[in-house]
């Protein structure tokens, strides 16, 4: 008779799935994914990458990613550093895509929990607040999240690191 296996907690279960979803990302800089969960059921997933129907990052679809993997140069822009030239990035974030996918399919996410591989940026924090997400659970801290964290707290959205 074999030893019983330990079951992962719901948090670990959903975060493990988020890490698998992140592998679908076509972003060359950082692979991020998010799941939206309601009543212990996955209702939407998203990963970062270029918009539907456009060229992927590694195909030149995002000038910023293309520059990072091809010597740091874009036409006239110089070296691309982390956190810089974000206006050149055409990728949608994992959280953004999970929220948009729920909307696209007509699924309400009011009162849902979002699991994400990185804490949300300010834009994604605002989207989470306005879409009715009540809790965000993340695996790693995104470097630019101080303002996002303060805003989530003010809005009453629980933010916790797993």
């Amino acid at each position: 008779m074999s030893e019983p296996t330990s079951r992962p907690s719901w948090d670990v279960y959903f975060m493990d799935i988020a890490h698998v979803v992140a592998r679908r990302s076509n972003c060359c800089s950082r692979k991020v994914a998010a799941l939206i969960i309601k009543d212990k059921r996955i209702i939407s997933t998203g990963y970062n990458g270029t918009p539907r129907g456009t060229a992927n990052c590694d195909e030149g679809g995002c000038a910023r990613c293309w520059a990072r993997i091809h010597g740091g140069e874009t036409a006239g822009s110089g070296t691309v550093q982390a956190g810089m030239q974000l206006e050149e990035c055409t990728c949608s974030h994992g959280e953004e895509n999970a929220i948009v996918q729920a909307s696209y399919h007509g699924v309400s996410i009011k009162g849902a929990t979002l699991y994400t591989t990185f804490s949300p940026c300010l834009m994604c924090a605002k989207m989470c607040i306005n879409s009715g997400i009540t809790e965000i659970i993340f695996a790693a801290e995104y470097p630019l999240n101080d303002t996002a964290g303060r805003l989530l707290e003010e809005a009453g959205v629980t933010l916790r690191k797993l």
Side-chain angles (χ1 to χ4, degrees):
M1 191 147 119
S2 64
E3 292 287 321
T5 58
S6 64
R7 294 176 71 194
S9 68
W10 286 108
D11 285 346
V12 170
Y13 172 75
F14 289 127
M15 193 60 74
D16 284 351
I17 294 170
H19 283 289
V20 171
V21 172
R23 292 173 32 205
R24 287 283 307 153
S25 170
N26 64 59
C27 181
C28 303
S29 298
R30 182 186 312 257
K31 297 190 180 304
V32 180
L35 307 178
I36 299 176
I37 308 300
K38 205 167 184 182
D39 299 323
K40 294 186 173 63
R41 299 286 179 254
I42 299 169
I43 60 173
S44 186
T45 67
Y47 53 86
N48 61 327
T50 53
R52 176 183 293 138
T54 66
N56 290 328
C57 291
D58 59 358
E59 300 166 332
C62 176
R64 186 169 184 272
C65 283
W66 188 257
R68 289 184 68 118
I69 63 172
H70 289 91
E73 297 287 330
T74 60
S77 70
T79 301
V80 178
Q81 297 176 2
M84 303 302 293
Q85 293 177 252
L86 295 175
E87 70 279 359
E88 296 292 321
C89 182
T90 58
C91 294
S92 294
H93 293 186
E95 302 92 332
E96 178 183 5
N97 274 330
I99 291 168
V100 169
Q101 283 303 305
S103 175
Y104 184 83
H105 293 287
V107 177
S108 172
I109 58 176
K110 184 178 180 182
T113 299
L114 183 132
Y115 287 81
T116 181
T117 54
F118 285 90
S119 58
C121 70
L122 181 57
M123 178 192 70
C124 289
K126 293 184 291 186
M127 290 182 74
C128 288
I129 292 165
N130 287 338
S131 66
I133 288 171
T134 56
E135 182 175 24
I136 299 170
I137 301 164
F138 65 94
E141 292 194 33
Y142 183 69
L144 308 172
N145 76 342
D146 289 347
T147 304
R150 285 193 301 275
L151 191 62
L152 289 164
E153 182 179 2
E154 181 181 344
V157 177
T158 302
L159 178 66
R160 74 182 160 89
K161 185 174 183 178
L162 182 61

